[in-house]
Amino acid sequence: MKLQRKNRRALALGAIAVSGALALTACGSDDTGSSDGGSNATAANSSIKCDDAKGQLLADGSSAQKNAIDAWVKQFTAACSGVQINYKGGGSGAGVTAFTQGQVAFAGSDSALKPEEVTASKSVCKGGQGIDLPMVGGPIAVGFNVPGVDKLVLDAETLAKIFDSKITNWNDAAIKALNPDAKLPDLKIQAFHRSDESGTTDNFTKYLIAASPANWKYEGGKAWQAKGGQSASGSSGVAQQVKQTSGAISYMELSYAKDGIVPVTIDTGASAPVEATVENATKAIAAAQVVGTGKDLSLKLDYATKADGAYPITLVTYEIVCDKGNKADSLPATKAFLRYIASEDGQGVLAEAGYAPIPDDIIAKVRTTIEGLS
């Protein structure tokens, strides 16, 4: 399965040139849309179809996909100037809550809806229910800031013990064994986790549970459960703490691991440790299975993969929307935006922004489902 076609990449480059560096690096900007009239025109050299889209779309949820949303919104609102999109990026938990309370047109979540959340959505989706549409994939980088160390290999066991306060110093024997050539300092480990309910936390802990169950005894979920450590809000928040704190380590979506943050290479038991790259995450996501029923397209990921070159700590962000019963005033804009981001053009933007596109056979099902939203 070819997940990154040459023509997709070419389209992506064109899209990125228009959006500029700001769209790809914004980690919390609210400048995500414009409203300069009711034009339904399609931008030159763009596949975006505005149809009758107009007005303001409110959305909230996953901060992991915030950089992707920013890039998409720049392109979409340039073509459809009658639409303004405000994606808050307050975390997956906040997004799901806002959706089930009818406050947003769609939500982003790095975890599929739970049964009780589907039930809650039925009061908002008149005659229907909330469904999960996989739209963004990518690696969860484990970023670190250790003076004098520019490459670090860790495995699930050491990560579990670090984030459970069982390994507390960077020159611990277990870390030395995985990094015999590194000059590891006698420095306290400063482990940061998310303070808000986060799908990134859910997926990171799913990896620890699957790959090192003997060392991670917590049940997992969006809320952090282990004792100790320090916390910060959002992907941008933990990234900022790692950047400014000597000895720090945390988990974050790859596009936030920059400017002094180095991603850990993961020893999965494969023939060689695996780096946190879009390509390596794509190899892992390609093995995902659709486990949702009906129009729901939630996926099952293999967090314990030992396949060569497959990066195991991945997430898929879902756009959550009503299959039926969407509000009439926001449905045209919602469908138009989702149609664009699921298109080959929209998915093509992802690799350049540090994300992995959804596998072709799965995104094809997403496109069909979007056309049937009502």
Side-chain angles (χ1 to χ4, degrees):
M1 182 186 301
K2 296 183 179 179
L3 302 181
Q4 297 183 43
R5 300 173 178 170
K6 292 182 179 179
N7 60 341
R8 178 182 290 171
R9 186 174 180 84
L11 287 167
L13 290 171
I16 296 300
V18 176
S19 62
L22 177 61
L24 302 185
T25 57
C27 295
S29 171
D30 288 327
D31 183 18
T32 56
S34 62
S35 181
D36 9 288
S39 173
N40 288 325
T42 300
N45 301 318
S46 172
S47 63
I48 299 173
K49 297 179 181 179
C50 304
D51 294 337
D52 296 321
K54 60 183 178 180
Q56 184 181 54
L57 278 186
L58 297 179
D60 195 3
S62 165
S63 65
Q65 72 164 354
K66 182 66 165 62
N67 291 337
I69 290 285
D70 285 348
W72 279 331
V73 167
K74 291 287 184 180
Q75 300 311 305
F76 183 81
T77 54
C80 306
S81 59
V83 180
Q84 181 181 8
I85 300 175
N86 182 357
Y87 182 80
K88 188 175 179 181
S92 296
V96 172
T97 297
F99 178 77
T100 57
Q101 292 180 351
Q103 299 171 357
V104 293
F106 69 91
S109 177
D110 308 320
S111 301
L113 290 169
K114 296 178 181 179
E116 60 268 26
E117 293 168 340
V118 173
T119 299
S121 74
K122 292 181 179 180
S123 63
V124 174
C125 307
K126 303 301 181 182
Q129 65 181 46
I131 57 173
D132 302 286
L133 300 179
M135 204 71 74
V136 183
I140 299 174
V142 181
F144 70 96
N145 176 2
V146 180
V149 179
D150 56 11
K151 185 174 183 179
L152 187 69
V153 176
L154 296 175
D155 58 14
E157 180 178 347
T158 55
L159 282 170
K161 290 180 178 179
I162 285 171
F163 282 93
D164 199 23
S165 303
K166 301 293 178 57
I167 292 178
T168 59
N169 204 283
W170 280 110
N171 65 355
D172 187 275
I175 301 177
K176 284 184 176 181
L178 291 166
N179 301 272
D181 298 326
K183 296 181 179 179
L184 297 166
D186 182 7
L187 178 67
K188 182 181 178 181
I189 294 174
Q190 306 284 350
F192 286 88
H193 57 264
R194 291 279 291 272
S195 60
D196 53 318
E197 288 202 355
S198 162
T200 310
T201 294
D202 191 13
N203 284 274
F204 178 62
T205 54
K206 281 179 178 177
Y207 159 72
L208 296 177
I209 292 168
S212 189
N215 297 289
W216 195 260
K217 299 295 187 178
Y218 307 96
E219 64 181 12
K222 293 187 181 75
W224 185 258
Q225 296 168 339
K227 306 302 180 183
Q230 302 174 66
S231 65
S233 179
S235 295
S236 58
V238 294
Q240 182 62 32
Q241 290 298 324
V242 173
K243 189 183 306 183
Q244 67 187 21
T245 306
S246 179
I249 186 171
S250 189
Y251 54 92
M252 66 204 72
E253 193 277 326
L254 181 62
S255 68
Y256 292 90
K258 54 192 174 184
D259 300 333
I261 302 175
V262 183
V264 167
T265 301
I266 303 298
D267 183 346
T268 64
S271 61
V274 186
E275 294 183 358
T277 67
V278 169
E279 293 76 16
N280 293 342
T282 295
K283 291 180 182 178
I285 294 171
Q289 297 178 327
V290 176
V291 294
T293 58
K295 294 183 179 180
D296 187 271
L297 297 173
S298 55
L299 303 177
K300 181 180 180 181
L301 301 172
D302 182 6
Y303 298 96
T305 180
K306 295 183 180 180
D308 284 347
Y311 184 78
I313 319 176
T314 59
L315 60 75
V316 168
T317 298
Y318 302 95
E319 309 313 330
I320 296 172
V321 67
C322 296
D323 58 354
K324 297 178 182 178
N326 289 279
K327 295 179 180 178
D329 57 349
S330 60
L331 179 59
T334 299
K335 288 182 70 170
F337 182 64
L338 294 179
R339 180 186 296 122
Y340 161 61
I341 68 179
S343 71
E344 186 170 342
D345 192 1
Q347 288 288 297
V349 170
L350 292 176
E352 299 298 329
Y355 298 89
I358 299 301
D360 290 346
D361 57 339
I362 297 174
I363 201 67
K365 295 177 182 178
V366 171
R367 292 166 186 157
T368 299
T369 302
I370 290 170
E371 295 307 318
L373 298 179
S374 62

